[in-house]
Amino acid sequence: MFPKRRMRRLRAPVIRPLLAETALSKNDLVAPVFIDETAQKQKSIESMPGQVRYPLAEAGTVARDLWDAGIRALLLFGIPRKKDEQASCAFDPNGIVQKAVRAVKREVPEMVVITDVCACEYTDHGHCGIVGVTRHGPDLLNDPSLDLMDRIALSHAQSGADIVAPSCMLDGVVQSIRAALDREGHSDVAIMSYSTKFSSALYGPFRDAADSGFRFGDRSTYQVPPGNSREAVLESMLDFDEGADILMVKPAGFYLDILAEVRTLGIPVAAFQVSGEYAMIKAAAARGWLDEKEVALETLTCIKRAGADLIITYFARDVAGWLDEEQ
Ligand code: PBG
Ligand code: ZN
């Protein structure tokens, strides 16, 4: 008789799979790809084992390999030869990302190419736009940086990007980029906004990978404090209002409550499992303390369960292989 409700009945091996609510699929995944203008061959990234900076000459083959593995979208980051105060290489029609977009599209036209629209890889001071002196000291200037973001996004669209992804957290950047794209005939290019981006310590390895660390200050005047949930959701609501096509929560795993809430706004939501989340799993796995595959799949399944339509993850290529094994 007792207990009345036996939860274990439906967990029998033959029944359990029928009732699975959340299954990862290759269509959920976006693979970040670093292209380094100065690289002649692949350069390893110490704090991100398994990830590399590719030379431009390999951009097409990387895309081909990902496509053949079943990955349908990639997020491109460029590491330029030259940095300056104005981030001029970021909107150069022959800049590294612009060339990489064309190379990928030439090799795999069906690949959905997403580009990161930001200036921190291109500025000598490492901040995400134009810096100046404010009443609180040197800081990222909001409105003067908007024009820069428009130019970067436009140059990506002109090179063939399908989706542009502003990651600078400037107020009004989505509206500004949308207007610029529409004005220049790119109304079909979508905007995936890094709409809720926390001021997180988990971006450390990325800053090694993309050489985008800052010379002074930090990003806390433009990114969301990790403990503030209403502010976090409001950031995404504003980008929704400004016309974003896809919202994003970043990092992913520590912020699932925010992801679940942003999902209710009604448009697709991406989650970015960032470099630090990747590095933690890799480091523990290298010591034999965690099972890399099991933990990676668990984190990604939970990110999907919380509401992500898309997951940007450095595990994308591995996951594609793991999903194949299971069939
Ligand atoms: C650029 C950008 C960053 C990341 C994505 N785009 C770094 C930052 O904001 O400092 C982080 C990605 C990661 O850690 O994997 N603004
Ligand atoms: Zn940036």
Side-chain angles (χ1 to χ4, degrees):
M1 270 302 137
F2 183 84
K4 184 171 146 206
R5 181 158 296 279
R6 289 189 181 272
M7 297 303 290
R8 299 185 56 197
R9 268 196 289 267
L10 300 183
R11 292 195 193 121
V14 290
I15 300 178
R16 198 173 56 230
L18 300 175
L19 301 175
E21 282 184 57
T22 308
L24 274 180
S25 114
K26 294 179 184 178
N27 283 316
D28 301 326
L29 304 173
V30 179
V33 174
F34 298 103
I35 308 289
D36 183 339
E37 195 167 21
T38 64
Q40 299 302 321
K41 55 182 177 47
Q42 296 182 10
K43 291 187 191 166
S44 59
I45 301 166
E46 203 186 321
S47 51
M48 300 178 72
Q51 300 297 307
V52 299
R53 297 179 180 193
Y54 293 100
L56 177 62
E58 290 184 31
T61 45
V62 178
R64 169 58 58 198
D65 172 64
L66 287 167
W67 182 265
D68 290 346
I71 302 294
R72 298 294 173 246
L74 52 80
L75 174 58
L76 283 178
F77 293 97
I79 299 119
R81 193 184 302 278
K82 209 169 93 273
K83 296 172 190 272
D84 59 29
E85 215 183 341
Q86 307 298 321
S88 8
C89 293
F91 52 85
D92 180 348
N94 283 311
I96 183 64
V97 168
Q98 292 79 359
K99 284 183 178 162
V101 173
R102 295 195 289 268
V104 169
K105 282 291 184 183
R106 214 177 301 127
E107 179 66 28
V108 194
E110 314 90 318
M111 180 66 90
V112 175
V113 176
I114 311 174
T115 55
D116 187 85
V117 175
C118 203
C120 51
E121 293 118 79
Y122 301 86
T123 50
D124 48 14
H125 45 68
H127 281 283
C128 298
I130 305 296
V131 159
V133 178
T134 72
R135 69 163 76 195
H136 301 296
D139 198 4
L140 177 67
L141 301 178
N142 199 85
D143 298 8
S145 300
L146 292 177
D147 183 55
L148 172 61
M149 296 307 148
D150 293 354
R151 296 172 76 175
I152 298 174
L154 256 183
S155 73
H156 293 175
Q158 282 157 355
S159 302
D162 300 290
I163 302 177
V164 294
S167 68
C168 50
M169 288 290 286
L170 292 166
D171 290 325
V173 71
V174 171
Q175 183 171 16
S176 181
I177 288 177
R178 183 71 272 156
L181 290 173
D182 290 355
R183 197 167 52 232
E184 299 296 325
H186 295 291
S187 56
D188 55 349
V189 171
I191 299 178
M192 176 170 83
S193 177
Y194 285 68
S195 52
T196 297
K197 181 170 173 180
F198 287 93
S199 178
S200 171
L202 291 166
Y203 310 147
F206 174 92
R207 290 172 190 167
D208 291 345
D211 192 19
S212 66
F214 29 77
R215 294 264 170 83
F216 64 88
D218 56 30
R219 302 215 204 289
S220 55
T221 65
Y222 44 106
Q223 299 180 346
V224 180
N228 289 6
S229 66
R230 286 171 302 181
E231 180 180 346
V233 175
L234 182 58
E235 281 281 6
S236 277
M237 285 169 63
L238 290 170
D239 287 9
F240 173 95
D241 282 341
E242 288 181 30
D245 298 285
I246 303 174
L247 300 170
M248 190 199 297
V249 175
K250 175 188 163 193
F254 295 175
Y255 298 94
L256 298 185
D257 55 332
I258 306 300
L259 179 59
E261 216 175 317
V262 168
R263 177 183 171 78
T264 66
L265 295 175
I267 59 174
V269 183
F272 198 144
Q273 182 178 56
V274 302
S275 56
E277 298 178 89
Y278 176 81
M280 288 191 288
I281 295 172
K282 282 286 186 178
R287 285 163 180 73
W289 293 348
L290 286 178
D291 182 314
E292 177 178 341
K293 174 183 164 185
E294 295 301 327
V295 174
L297 288 174
E298 180 177 334
T299 59
L300 296 168
T301 301
C302 292
I303 291 166
K304 182 167 181 184
R305 186 206 65 223
D309 299 283
L310 284 175
I311 307 174
I312 303 158
T313 173
Y314 299 98
F315 286 112
R317 179 68 186 79
D318 293 330
V319 173
W322 295 331
L323 292 175
D324 288 341
E325 281 169 23
E326 275 165 26
Q327 271 146 24

